Amino acid sequence: SDSHFPIPISPDEVDLSQHYPRYFPSGEGGALQGDAAVPRIRFADVGCGFGGLLVGLSTLFPDTLMIGMELRDKVTEYVKERILALRASNPGKYDNISVVRTNSMKYIPNYFRKAQLSKMFFLFPDPHFKEKNHRRRVISMQLLDEYAYVMEVGGIIYTITDVEELGEWMRSCLEKHPLFEAIPEEEIKADPVVKLLSTATEEGQKVARNGVDEPLPPRSSSSSRCSC
Ligand code: SAM
């Protein structure tokens, strides 16, 4: 249950020095969060699983702080170890990524301030097929309100799934929501991040492997811009 992991009361309580020690060598990451000159977390990978996307993004955006949010304890610990091992074998690299164990459906505003994030990722989220469980989906009209609050104007939400029904659901929520707008196809194609959605994530790789002997299952991805 939630009582097993600490929850910051507000973004000021998130100690960045624990996550990104190279950026906060004197251990002042929590106290400094309010200072505009101090780097802030800009990307959030929600339900990051084993962290493949973070690892891929880390070298693509070496000066951007990013965090994975993961509910499962053991998976979170695995990602922590993975990042520490990468830092140890590649000095000066992978210092900009970290992971936190949390329930993203409840605590996003505890971690991020208004307009703090420029990218949010929802990659291969759990489908929750039954209608009575749709409220457990990580994209919904209510949660998009929260995501719009923590995203900057022009920030981008990326989604991908191989579950057709969920893909349609996520797309329709984003289309209906007044604070998000679809991104033109040419812009999506030119975005280097889009390729990573399926190639860097463990779930994307699994879907690709399953497709070796049979046609790839349909994969629906979309990107929407925050226009609030
Ligand atoms: N995004 C990763 C990928 O594409 O490889 C993992 C996809 S996996 C199917 C979905 C992940 O979301 C799981 O690791 C699960 O534990 C996590 N998850 C589900 N609900 C969550 C929540 N409320 N908060 C944080 N993580 C959650």
Side-chain angles (χ1 to χ4, degrees):
S1 86
D2 291 353
S3 58
H4 296 301
F5 50 85
I7 300 152
I9 316 169
S10 80
D12 292 340
E13 302 290 316
V14 180
D15 184 358
L16 296 182
S17 67
Q18 289 196 0
H19 289 284
Y20 314 98
R22 192 166 69 84
Y23 287 80
F24 301 92
S26 47
E28 311 169 293
L32 287 175
Q33 273 251 70
D35 184 337
V38 165
R40 296 211 186 147
I41 297 170
R42 300 280 285 149
F43 298 177
D45 182 7
V46 178
C48 68
F50 296 96
L53 181 82
L54 291 167
V55 173
L57 286 173
S58 176
T59 46
L60 199 57
F61 298 90
D63 302 318
T64 302
L65 299 189
M66 39 191 116
I67 197 146
M69 311 185 95
E70 173 53 53
L71 190 56
R72 288 180 291 169
D73 188 24
K74 287 207 168 109
V75 177
T76 312
E77 288 307 311
Y78 168 86
V79 179
K80 278 186 193 163
E81 293 298 323
R82 182 178 184 180
I83 294 171
L84 289 177
L86 281 167
R87 287 178 185 172
S89 51
N90 303 273
K93 284 176 144 190
Y94 302 105
D95 295 300
N96 59 336
I97 54 175
S98 190
V99 66
V100 68
R101 182 179 177 217
T102 197
N103 184 341
S104 69
M105 294 182 69
K106 289 186 174 179
Y107 301 120
I108 289 274
N110 296 58
Y111 283 88
F112 310 112
R113 286 203 177 77
K114 184 171 188 240
Q116 179 173 341
L117 297 176
S118 61
K119 295 187 191 297
M120 292 185 84
F121 298 90
F122 300 87
L123 310 184
F124 300 99
D126 297 325
H128 297 297
F129 285 106
K130 289 187 190 148
E131 198 168 334
K132 72 174 168 53
N133 287 332
H134 283 180
R135 66 198 159 73
R136 293 171 61 193
R137 288 179 167 171
V138 287
I139 297 278
S140 67
M141 294 305 276
Q142 292 76 12
L143 286 169
L144 283 177
D145 292 345
E146 267 185 26
Y147 304 154
Y149 176 78
V150 295
M151 292 199 83
E152 67 180 14
V153 177
I156 299 179
I157 280 194
Y158 296 86
T159 67
I160 187 167
T161 178
D162 56 324
V163 177
E164 198 179 347
E165 187 202 322
L166 178 64
E168 276 165 22
W169 164 276
M170 295 196 289
R171 190 181 292 269
S172 80
C173 289
L174 283 159
E175 277 172 7
K176 272 190 284 181
H177 198 284
L179 298 179
F180 289 94
E181 61 188 21
I183 294 180
E185 199 60 37
E186 320 81 72
E187 215 179 299
I188 293 178
K189 279 200 194 121
D191 183 346
V193 169
V194 169
K195 191 161 167 268
L196 289 181
L197 307 186
S198 50
T199 57
T201 54
E202 279 70 18
E203 204 61 33
Q205 289 164 5
K206 197 160 94 190
V207 173
R209 273 198 306 278
N210 290 345
V212 169
D213 300 324
E214 52 192 270
L216 279 178
R219 193 182 283 163
S220 153
S221 76
S222 72
S223 320
S224 298
R225 181 174 287 128
C226 183
S227 56
C228 35

